[in-house]
Amino acid sequence: MTDDHTKNGASTETADTDLKTIDAQTGDVDSADLDVPDTETDNLEEDAEFAGFPGMDGAMFGQVQEMMEKLQKADELEQENNDLRLKLSRLATDFESYRTRTQQDVASAQGQGVSRAAEALMPVYDDIDRALSMVADDPAKLVPGMQAVQGKVLNVFSGLGLEATGTVGEHFDPQWHEALQVVPGDEDDVIVQVYQLGFRMGERLVRPARVVVSRKG
């Protein structure tokens, strides 16, 4: 009787196992009743993670991701570089336009300056012309007329901002004067003769005076 009972029990357990196996195949048994190893579950998740890259492990996938990020940054840098080139091109165009306008303004200012100077000297020319026509019969009358013209020219220069330098009795200054000759005199570095009058405009030398300077013997 014991053997029959044992046999019956074993048969019952076998039947139950078979039933569970059949139910697992048909999907009627809960997953909790199935003894699935954790390692297999982990492998399934890893396979799902790299499903788009068959045969690739985690390290290789990380390297691919890093390369893709670098490529994305390279694209961003290229776009930024293109933007900078566009800005530089616009700046170059603007600077060229500014340079052209500046040159035009300088040329216009120079033209206006020359026109003003010529306009100021025209009366001097008229005076010289009249003086020459009036002294044709008496050249001695030319001297006072030319002196008057000389004074008018100096007035014109003064109106243009020029100041005469290098007159007789003036102290010699190499910044404004050029000594052509040194002669004995009562004082040192005094202009005793002027070959050519000099002109300055503020602190800027326009033309040095060419003079003779005294030197105590």
Side-chain angles (χ1 to χ4, degrees), residues 15 32 34 36-37 64 76 126 171 177 180 185 197 200 209 214-215:
L34 298 177
V36 180
V64 170
E76 293 175 355
D126 295 336
H171 183 76
H177 310 142
L180 299 181
L197 192 64
R200 53 184 286 189
S214 66
R215 181 67 54 84

Side-chain angles (χ1 to χ4, degrees), residues 1-6 8:
M1 179 176 178
T2 302
D3 292 339
D4 294 340
H5 178 72
T6 302
N8 291 334

Side-chain angles (χ1 to χ4, degrees), residues 10-28:
S11 299
T12 303
E13 290 178 358
T14 302
D16 291 341
T17 302
D18 293 338
L19 180 61
K20 287 183 180 182
T21 302
I22 293 173
D23 290 343
Q25 292 175 351
T26 58
D28 294 337

Side-chain angles (χ1 to χ4, degrees), residues 22 28 36 57 82 84 88 111 123 131 134 143 173 202-203:
I22 293 173
D28 294 337
V36 180
D57 59 10
N82 292 334
L84 290 175
L88 181 60
M134 290 175 60
V143 175
D173 187 344
E203 295 300 318

Side-chain angles (χ1 to χ4, degrees), residues 139-182:
K141 296 180 180 179
L142 183 62
V143 175
M146 294 305 296
Q147 289 175 341
V149 171
Q150 184 183 43
K152 183 171 288 189
V153 171
L154 291 176
N155 289 333
V156 171
F157 286 163
S158 178
L160 295 174
L162 295 173
E163 179 183 354
T165 180
T167 58
V168 175
E170 187 176 347
H171 183 76
F172 177 78
D173 187 344
Q175 182 179 0
W176 314 114
H177 310 142
E178 180 183 351
L180 299 181
Q181 186 179 358
V182 177

Side-chain angles (χ1 to χ4, degrees), residues 37-210:
D38 293 340
T39 55
E40 293 181 3
T41 304
D42 294 340
N43 291 335
L44 290 175
E45 292 177 355
E46 184 175 352
D47 292 341
E49 182 179 357
F50 306 118
F53 303 93
M56 181 180 296
D57 59 10
M60 293 178 63
F61 184 75
Q63 292 179 356
V64 170
Q65 284 186 321
E66 183 179 357
M67 292 178 60
M68 293 178 65
E69 291 175 358
K70 289 182 178 179
L71 289 174
Q72 182 177 0
K73 290 181 179 179
D75 292 339
E76 293 175 355
L77 290 175
E78 180 66 21
Q79 182 62 39
E80 183 178 355
N81 187 33
N82 292 334
D83 294 341
L84 290 175
R85 287 181 178 178
L86 180 59
K87 291 180 180 178
L88 181 60
S89 177
R90 290 175 179 174
L91 286 175
T93 302
D94 293 342
F95 176 76
E96 184 63 25
S97 299
Y98 169 77
R99 189 174 66 87
T100 302
R101 290 195 305 269
T102 301
Q103 291 178 342
Q104 293 174 348
D105 293 342
V106 170
S108 177
Q110 289 177 343
Q112 292 179 357
V114 171
S115 178
R116 288 180 57 190
E119 184 179 357
L121 289 172
M122 286 178 186
V124 177
Y125 171 82
D126 295 336
D127 291 343
I128 294 174
D129 185 61
R130 282 192 297 267
L132 291 175
S133 62
M134 290 175 60
V135 299
D137 299 331
D138 189 1
K141 296 180 180 179
L142 183 62
V143 175
M146 294 305 296
Q147 289 175 341
V149 171
Q150 184 183 43
K152 183 171 288 189
V153 171
L154 291 176
N155 289 333
V156 171
F157 286 163
S158 178
L160 295 174
L162 295 173
E163 179 183 354
T165 180
T167 58
V168 175
E170 187 176 347
H171 183 76
F172 177 78
D173 187 344
Q175 182 179 0
W176 314 114
H177 310 142
E178 180 183 351
L180 299 181
Q181 186 179 358
V182 177
V183 298
D186 298 332
E187 298 181 45
D188 288 335
D189 298 331
V190 175
I191 297 175
V192 296
Q193 186 178 352
V194 179
Y195 283 106
Q196 185 180 76
L197 192 64
F199 294 94
R200 53 184 286 189
M201 182 176 288
E203 295 300 318
R204 183 169 65 89
L205 178 65
V206 178
R207 187 182 75 176
R210 307 180 72 185

